[in-house]
Amino acid sequence: MYGLADCNNFFVSCERLFRPDLNGKAVVVLSNNDGCAIARSNEAKALGIKMGQPLYQFSNLVSSGKVTVFSSNFMLYGDISHRVHATLREAVPVIEIYSIDEAFLDLTGIPDDRLDSLGHRLNRMCMRNVGVPVSVGISHTKTLAKVASKLCKQYPRLDGACLMKRPQDIEKVLRKFPVEDVWGIGRRYAARLHLHGVSTAFDFASLPEEWVKARMGLTGLRTWLELHGVPSISFGEDPEPKKQICVSRSFAHEITDKEELYEQLSQFVSMAAEKLRKQGSLASEMDIFLLTNRFKDTDRLYSRNRLERLEPPTSDTFAILKTARYAFEQIYDSRVRFKKAGVTFSGIIPSEGMQMSLFDGGETRDNGKLMSVIDSINRKEGAGSVVFASQGFGGVKMNRGHLSPQYTTKFDDILKIKV
Ligand SMILES: [Mg+2]
């Protein structure tokens, strides 16, 4: 059996941890630069605020005090996420971290009659240890566990945990479960399935196996099998390494100054290089890009990029920044006001594959050690503790007018209590 532990309205729950006065009130967390809603409390959903809705469309609700908004505080969310995962690991030996607020649980070997109480125990542990509400779904496959965890959110009387085991119960649930909400179906397939009269998960599971395989390939077939209770999506502690890594941000204000712009760009490059190392990969290509404001027509639109080969493939920030500087020099234009910059690494290969060529240059090997030291300091002491000179110390220039403190990761931000 498998479980899925999914934190309810996760970013909102993190903000409420330190603002209990906001429990029961409408809360929205905004995307980078305070652009649009990326997390909503149930009360905010009830007010009709949609996922991805731009802030200006509901700013009247904010100014009238009906909704409280927060800028995204990923330092806080990342730390709370670690605590939830650590709590889950205490009770379940093997977990697979799926996203910042979701983890799959391998429940192999746990007697069936204990599964239901385990689900409720996990929910209580997360509430007690971390203070975040978690919905635990348990069933025969990962896909069914996801369905079960969604049920918890729909039906508060389930008390945060739902075991779906008996075939007749599963069928009853799938008959009411919209096909577009099934993990792996996605909006694109859902639209096509609707055309064939398939609107629920049960309809989909009732399609002939060959039909699914012919029209939706192996991925569709896997989802179909999983709905039939046949585990078909592999389970592992390590998610598959990404084949492309991109870091890009819009700036709070347009930037024309060359060095100021490069400072921002080098931060994105450093962040992307750290991601590369974290998944044990090297990149063989790097694409640097600069953009003007897409929503403004006063400036002529300017979007330029430069693709550079990284030879040999590397994850060394020093080597990557050197190439990035060169690429930046080729595409920078002092007459243009820039709104966004970024980097994409591709041609990604595992670093073990490169072991032999490390002996070609001792330099690479030494920097590898230096990089892992820098990464571990930044992990322990907080991102940005050690930076590369070209990044500067200013941080990423984003609009974050509603940012909450970093309660758990920054000494200056620790709550003070008067007694
Ligand atoms: Mg969630």
Side-chain angles (χ1 to χ4, degrees):
M1 297 290 274
Y2 295 95
L4 177 79
D6 183 2
C7 305
N8 302 355
N9 311 328
F10 181 58
F11 298 166
V12 168
S13 299
C14 292
E15 298 291 351
R16 278 177 170 169
L17 260 181
F18 297 91
R19 289 287 308 276
D21 58 306
L22 295 176
N23 284 326
K25 303 217 171 107
V27 179
V28 169
V29 175
L30 302 166
S31 60
N32 282 335
N33 281 318
D34 294 346
C36 50
I38 54 168
R40 303 155 298 152
S41 70
N42 293 342
E43 298 78 9
K45 289 175 192 171
L47 282 173
I49 298 171
K50 300 267 174 294
M51 191 67 173
Q53 192 172 350
L55 171 61
Y56 69 83
Q57 288 183 2
F58 58 92
S59 52
N60 54 329
L61 290 173
V62 179
S63 48
S64 65
K66 288 201 179 78
V67 174
T68 306
V69 290
F70 287 96
S71 306
S72 35
N73 184 348
F74 283 106
M75 286 299 280
L76 175 67
Y77 312 151
D79 185 58
I80 301 300
S81 166
H82 280 294
R83 291 168 193 233
V84 171
H85 295 150
T87 297
L88 295 171
R89 273 204 192 88
E90 268 178 42
V92 179
V94 187
I95 76 169
E96 177 194 314
I97 294 166
Y98 180 66
S99 70
I100 192 164
D101 70 334
E102 282 172 82
F104 285 108
L105 320 166
D106 186 348
L107 305 176
T108 314
I110 295 173
D112 282 0
D113 57 338
R114 281 178 41 202
L115 287 171
D116 190 50
S117 58
L118 174 69
H120 285 101
R121 191 154 61 92
L122 288 172
N123 167 277
R124 280 196 304 273
M125 280 172 75
C126 289
M127 201 37 144
R128 193 187 56 216
N129 294 5
V130 194
V132 166
V134 172
S135 297
V136 184
I138 299 175
S139 193
H140 303 282
T141 64
K142 286 168 108 177
T143 305
L144 286 173
K146 272 225 174 210
V147 171
S149 95
K150 281 204 174 158
L151 281 195
C152 301
K153 291 184 189 154
Q154 241 173 311
Y155 301 104
R157 66 185 163 80
L158 289 171
D159 210 13
C162 170
L163 170 66
M164 276 192 344
K165 189 166 174 291
R166 297 187 313 166
Q168 61 268 42
D169 295 338
I170 295 175
E171 185 184 320
K172 210 170 129 193
V173 170
L174 295 187
R175 277 184 186 278
K176 281 198 213 148
F177 200 82
V179 71
E180 54 269 27
D181 291 347
V182 174
W183 186 42
I185 293 286
R187 234 181 258 171
R188 198 171 53 103
Y189 274 130
R192 272 199 260 166
L193 287 167
H194 277 287
L195 289 179
H196 286 92
V198 174
S199 59
T200 67
F202 180 79
D203 296 340
F204 178 67
S206 309
L207 291 167
E209 186 172 347
E210 304 73 46
W211 191 96
V212 175
K213 196 177 168 187
R215 293 175 193 240
M216 297 169 70
L218 211 56
T219 328
L221 183 63
R222 274 197 207 124
T223 304
W224 186 88
L225 286 166
E226 288 245 324
L227 287 177
H228 282 266
V230 182
S232 309
I233 297 172
S234 64
F235 193 97
E237 184 96 21
D238 295 317
E240 242 179 62
K242 292 203 168 63
K243 297 193 171 64
Q244 222 183 37
I245 290 176
C246 176
V247 175
S248 73
R249 298 276 190 281
S250 300
F251 311 127
H253 308 288
E254 290 162 332
I255 300 179
T256 47
D257 183 77
K258 187 176 183 183
E259 292 315 313
E260 190 185 349
L261 182 62
Y262 185 65
E263 215 171 76
Q264 295 291 308
L265 180 67
S266 11
Q267 290 198 48
F268 308 149
V269 171
S270 304
M271 285 156 82
E274 193 181 332
K275 287 187 180 190
L276 259 183
R277 296 192 291 272
K278 201 171 168 196
Q279 66 167 35
S281 303
L282 306 172
S284 38
E285 271 177 2
M286 168 170 64
D287 192 24
I288 296 283
F289 54 92
L290 302 173
L291 296 170
T292 51
N293 199 343
R294 218 184 316 164
F295 303 105
K296 225 166 142 184
D297 44 23
T298 45
D299 260 339
R300 69 194 164 91
L301 188 72
Y302 186 95
S303 145
R304 279 196 76 181
N305 72 305
R306 173 117 185 162
L307 190 70
E308 292 289 336
R309 279 203 69 76
L310 296 166
E311 193 59 59
T314 183
S315 62
D316 174 355
T317 305
F318 284 114
I320 291 171
L321 278 174
K322 214 185 271 179
T323 312
R325 178 80 209 193
Y326 173 79
F328 172 74
E329 295 284 351
Q330 310 308 308
I331 57 177
Y332 173 77
D333 183 336
S334 62
R335 296 162 301 175
V336 180
R337 293 181 295 168
F338 291 99
K339 182 65 185 169
K340 187 174 180 173
V343 59
T344 307
F345 289 133
S346 50
I348 288 176
I349 55 166
S351 53
E352 303 95 67
M354 283 298 293
Q355 287 295 323
M356 287 310 288
S357 61
L358 288 183
F359 296 103
D360 296 346
E363 194 195 342
T364 323
R365 196 163 34 158
D366 290 342
N367 277 349
K369 245 182 218 163
L370 177 61
M371 291 304 130
S372 65
V373 170
I374 292 174
D375 290 346
S376 71
I377 293 174
N378 283 337
R379 256 198 310 275
K380 227 187 273 168
E381 308 294 329
S385 299
V386 179
V387 298
F388 294 83
S390 59
Q391 284 173 247
F393 286 100
V396 180
K397 292 196 169 70
M398 284 194 292
N399 270 328
R400 295 210 282 190
H402 310 277
L403 188 65
S404 54
Q406 291 171 21
Y407 302 102
T408 59
T409 50
K410 199 169 163 192
F411 273 115
D412 293 342
D413 286 358
I414 289 177
L415 282 185
K416 292 172 191 74
I417 299 173
K418 266 192 206 157
V419 280

